[in-house]
Amino acid sequence: MSQQDTVWVSRFVVALCEPLLDTETRQDIDDHMVSLIASRPQWCAAWLSGFLSDIVRSLDPEDPWRNLTISKGKALLPDGTPFGSWVDATDLIHASTMDQRSDLGLAALVTPLSDESSILMATASQGWHATLHWLESNLVLATGLDPEQARAYFNTAVRTLRWAIHRRRLFTGMEDQFVPVAGDAWINRAELIVAGKPWDEARAARYLNANTVEAGNYKQFT
């Protein structure tokens, strides 16, 4: 992993957290991430598996989004309904307008998740090992990907990541530092995982536990 690649991943993490980046800058960052996925799909899978699973597992243990199941190619909420629509956030957010694109609380979720992205969300609650296995089985099609494959990989994984971050922010607010810290921490961890080297999983688990939304918060919000 080159230093320049690391810089672009860090920029991408910032772009996830800063909504005021201009469109051109954001597109440039996304394009560089797609290029990185094309050239290093395995590393990106390791990074995304850790980052995404940390965000999902940092939700309240009772949050339905952390308790999805998979059945017949669909991710399901605990009540058995399919997951992946903006409606799934209305347990915590009341729609303020008929046009969700004009609703500050729901605009980020207007585009429905694909079945793949929804299943990835469900898988992420099982930890980074399971998430990495899913990514390797479904998105890492070769040691190098063509642009179309890389873009599909990016869209599936990153849309899931954005939805997970959106959910966490409902409890922690926009200034939550766990998201950027976790995103940056997994850059080095991913390098070690791909190289087959040990890393301090116990320390990572302690940090995740310390930043998990406290059990009971979900019920208080609903």
Side-chain angles (χ1 to χ4, degrees):
M1 188 73 169
S2 71
Q3 182 62 36
Q4 190 59 35
D5 286 340
T6 298
V7 168
W8 280 108
V9 177
S10 293
R11 289 173 179 173
F12 178 72
V13 173
V14 170
L16 288 171
C17 301
E18 176 49 77
L20 298 180
L21 284 181
D22 64 78
T23 302
E24 183 178 352
T25 298
R26 190 178 300 278
Q27 186 62 59
D28 189 33
I29 292 170
D30 284 359
D31 288 345
H32 274 84
M33 285 300 296
V34 172
S35 295
L36 182 58
I37 287 172
S39 62
R40 297 203 62 186
Q42 185 64 47
W43 182 91
C44 290
W47 178 72
L48 283 162
S49 67
F51 189 16
L52 174 61
S53 65
D54 270 9
I55 301 302
V56 174
R57 291 188 300 147
S58 74
L59 299 175
D60 184 331
E62 299 173 353
D63 191 323
W65 286 34
R66 188 177 167 180
N67 292 280
L68 303 174
T69 56
I70 302 169
S71 177
K72 299 179 181 179
K74 301 280 187 181
L76 305 178
L77 289 159
D79 65 3
T81 57
F83 172 78
S85 162
W86 65 267
V87 176
D88 299 328
T90 56
D91 56 345
L92 296 177
I93 306 171
H94 295 292
S96 62
T97 174
M98 293 293 291
D99 175 26
Q100 281 71 51
R101 291 184 185 277
S102 303
D103 190 321
L104 188 60
L106 295 170
L109 310 180
V110 168
T111 302
L113 288 183
S114 65
D115 288 341
E116 277 194 323
S117 290
S118 298
I119 290 171
L120 179 55
M121 181 79 82
T123 304
S125 66
Q126 302 170 33
W128 74 267
H129 288 278
T131 309
L132 178 57
H133 177 72
W134 189 93
L135 289 169
E136 290 176 334
S137 300
N138 292 275
L139 299 182
V140 183
L141 305 178
T143 55
L145 305 180
D146 64 37
E148 184 176 347
Q149 291 172 326
R151 179 64 67 177
Y153 181 146
F154 176 86
N155 288 340
T156 297
V158 172
R159 285 174 182 167
T160 310
L161 181 59
R162 287 175 174 147
W163 275 51
I165 292 171
H166 180 277
R167 186 67 168 188
R168 178 178 165 87
R169 282 180 176 172
L170 296 180
F171 296 96
T172 61
M174 291 287 291
E175 300 302 317
D176 176 32
Q177 289 301 302
F178 177 71
V179 173
V181 170
D184 281 341
W186 275 97
I187 294 174
N188 183 58
R189 294 170 190 166
E191 195 72 20
L192 295 172
I193 289 168
V194 170
K197 296 180 180 179
W199 57 282
D200 196 344
E201 293 194 57
R203 181 179 181 182
R206 289 193 298 271
Y207 185 72
L208 171 60
N209 185 62
N211 287 277
T212 296
V213 176
E214 187 175 352
N217 269 258
Y218 173 76
K219 287 185 177 179
Q220 291 179 9
F221 273 64
T222 56

